[in-house]
Amino acid sequence: LTIIEPDVLPDWLAPTVGQGNLALADQHFECPTCFFDLYKFPAGVMRKGRRRVCDHYIHVQCAEYLKKNKETRCPACGVPFNTIKKMPDLIKDGREWFTVVDADCSGNLTQDEIEAGMGAVLPMDRVKLRKAIDMNWADWDPDGDGTIDLNEFLRDGKGLREFILRNLSALSKENMVARPQDVPQLDSHPLEWFEYWDQDGSGTLEKMEIIRAMIKSFCVNNNGA
């Protein structure tokens, strides 16, 4: 089995919406609607007017599909939204990126906000990113208030943004494309396939785990076929 990452989000994936899938998608920095990596397609945040309704991220195309079909609720938490704000470019417009990621409009970013925002636009490994944030937080937060403000984020030489961009290769996911030998084939090795996608070792696959496994196993070209 070869899994090819699509250049265009397949239309048939967009309608897959359900509650309870936040933990699964969030763990892998994936869109909670289609389960593709967030960074692979334009991602955004859901708003009501100019204010974010929740701290989740979604593919812009998935959100637009939901709006078109009158399903204007966050697929992760169910909070209503009416507009989508596309994520700014972290390199070209760090100030605007900071503002969008600041989910509670406090003027500061917490570690959780930074982790989620970085994973929405970059191919980050969550474990590596969290470890890097923990190890370097004191350098980015010199006043020790537990958050970083815009100046601390953009600070020349020692700012968080510069650190992430400078160490992107070390913080990235090691295997961006699943290898055939890593993903058992469902038709010939159903037990191994089941255990591979049962990542929490519970002995069961919940609805959203099955949907994610099917998408990752069988979406092999740009049309989702």
Side-chain angles (χ1 to χ4, degrees):
L1 174 67
T2 300
I3 297 179
I4 302 173
E5 302 292 350
D7 297 321
V8 179
L9 182 66
D11 288 340
W12 66 270
L13 289 173
T16 305
V17 181
Q19 299 297 323
N21 54 332
L22 170 61
L24 184 61
D26 188 59
Q27 179 182 355
H28 301 281
F29 291 134
E30 295 172 345
C31 172
T33 299
C34 68
F35 289 106
F36 277 108
D37 290 330
L38 281 165
Y39 83 95
K40 286 188 175 295
F41 302 99
V45 298
M46 290 157 283
R47 289 180 166 184
K48 180 167 285 188
R50 297 179 60 85
R51 189 178 182 88
R52 286 184 66 173
V53 299
C54 63
D55 58 0
H56 304 129
Y57 294 85
I58 189 172
H59 285 141
V60 173
Q61 192 172 344
C62 287
E64 292 295 347
Y65 184 94
L66 297 181
K67 287 180 61 181
K68 184 174 67 175
N69 288 273
K70 311 300 182 183
E71 299 176 18
T72 52
R73 291 182 178 273
C74 171
C77 66
V79 176
F81 71 94
N82 57 24
T83 61
I84 309 298
K85 172 65 176 178
K86 182 179 177 181
M87 288 297 294
D89 190 303
L90 177 60
I91 299 175
K92 297 179 180 179
D93 196 351
R95 182 181 298 272
E96 179 65 14
W97 185 93
F98 183 99
T99 301
V100 174
V101 172
D102 181 15
D104 57 2
C105 300
S106 65
N108 298 282
L109 296 184
T110 65
Q111 293 190 33
D112 288 342
E113 287 176 325
I114 292 167
E115 189 175 313
M118 290 292 178
V121 298
L122 297 172
M124 309 300 293
D125 180 283
R126 179 174 284 280
V127 174
K128 294 178 182 178
L129 178 59
R130 182 174 298 167
K131 183 177 181 180
I133 290 175
D134 289 340
M135 291 179 62
N136 294 278
W137 189 255
D139 294 333
W140 299 326
D141 180 27
D143 58 11
D145 67 350
T147 63
I148 64 170
D149 59 27
L150 181 61
N151 291 329
E152 292 166 343
F153 179 71
L154 297 176
R155 189 160 47 125
D156 290 339
K158 295 184 179 181
L160 186 151
R161 182 183 68 158
E162 187 170 324
F163 174 89
I164 295 295
L165 297 178
R166 186 172 61 244
N167 295 278
L168 181 57
S169 60
L171 298 174
S172 295
K173 297 179 181 179
E174 293 181 357
N175 298 311
M176 304 313 300
V177 179
R179 298 173 299 179
Q181 63 267 31
D182 290 339
V183 183
Q185 295 189 26
L186 177 58
D187 56 350
S188 59
H189 296 82
L191 179 59
E192 290 82 356
W193 184 90
F194 183 98
E195 292 175 343
Y196 179 88
W197 295 110
D198 179 24
Q199 296 186 0
D200 59 2
S202 65
T204 62
L205 289 179
E206 298 178 358
K207 177 182 177 181
M208 290 304 146
E209 289 179 313
I210 294 174
I211 292 173
R212 180 175 183 268
M214 291 295 182
I215 291 173
K216 296 292 186 180
S217 295
F218 301 115
C219 186
V220 296
N221 63 33
N222 292 351
N223 296 319

